Amino acid sequence: HVSGGHINCAVTLGLVIAGACPVVDGLVIVCGQILGSLFGAGLLAGVFSKKMDATGALGSNAFSPGFGAGNVFIGECLMTFLLFFVVAECALRKRLDFNPKIFMDGVGFNPPIAIGFAVFLAHMVLIPVDGCSINPTRSFGPLVVASMRGLPKGSTHWENFPVFFFAPMIGASIA
């Protein structure tokens, strides 16, 4: 047991801030997340040719029509806040509930279920807004690989990327 299943660099930042993950470990984990995102996007590019990619950018996040940077920033920040708050409360917090004679940590109370519901809720809210990032590394890999094979004409993916980086990082940091 090394990482606890870190797949989101915003959550990793939250864990570092909470003291649940040493800084050096966090940096190594984030490097692995970035490499994993690039590798996964490369595999996705191998499955979907540029011609067959309905999004034109391997599912990279983009603002939906009618939503501006402010809307997307608030949504991504709030939903990542929710995600890390659930992680912190379910997987990190020490509990004395149920039987005060037995001190258990949150892991004994099935945090993956609550965390999964938080991710589900974030997707239900944000897919119509921006495709739902809540994870900067999830946004980065597909955008880099899609850029290597050519983004659609008039693409604003890179111009919008800072929102998909900073909003989740701020949301997790606040939580």
Side-chain angles (χ1 to χ4, degrees):
H1 177 72
V2 176
S3 77
H6 293 230
I7 57 172
N8 183 331
C9 67
V11 171
T12 301
L13 174 63
L15 293 169
V16 168
I17 291 170
C21 177
V23 174
V24 173
D25 290 2
L27 291 171
V28 170
I29 290 166
V30 168
C31 289
Q33 292 165 342
I34 291 168
L35 291 173
S37 179
L38 292 167
F39 182 72
L43 291 174
L44 191 60
V47 172
F48 294 98
S49 67
K50 187 173 177 185
K51 183 175 137 184
M52 296 301 293
D53 180 4
T55 68
L58 291 174
S60 296
N61 296 100
F63 301 172
S64 295
F67 294 98
N71 305 114
V72 172
F73 190 92
I74 291 168
E76 289 287 338
C77 192
L78 286 174
M79 291 296 106
T80 310
F81 173 93
L82 169 72
L83 170 60
F84 187 71
F85 183 80
V86 170
V87 168
E89 287 298 312
C90 295
L92 297 181
R93 187 173 174 194
K94 301 295 181 191
R95 308 286 301 242
L96 287 171
D97 300 354
F98 302 108
N99 186 348
K101 294 178 186 174
I102 301 172
F103 187 76
M104 298 180 70
D105 64 23
V107 176
F109 299 100
N110 293 312
I113 295 169
I115 294 166
F117 279 133
V119 170
F120 173 75
L121 178 60
H123 280 74
M124 292 300 293
V125 170
L126 291 176
I127 283 177
V129 176
D130 61 19
C132 189
S133 173
I134 66 169
N135 182 351
T137 45
R138 172 264 181 263
S139 299
F140 181 73
L143 185 52
V144 168
V145 174
S147 295
M148 290 169 57
R149 64 185 201 173
L151 290 169
K153 227 178 192 177
S155 166
T156 58
H157 286 87
W158 279 111
E159 290 83 357
N160 297 334
F161 178 75
V163 171
F164 298 111
F165 177 80
F166 288 108
M169 299 300 252
I170 291 170
S173 298
I174 293 170

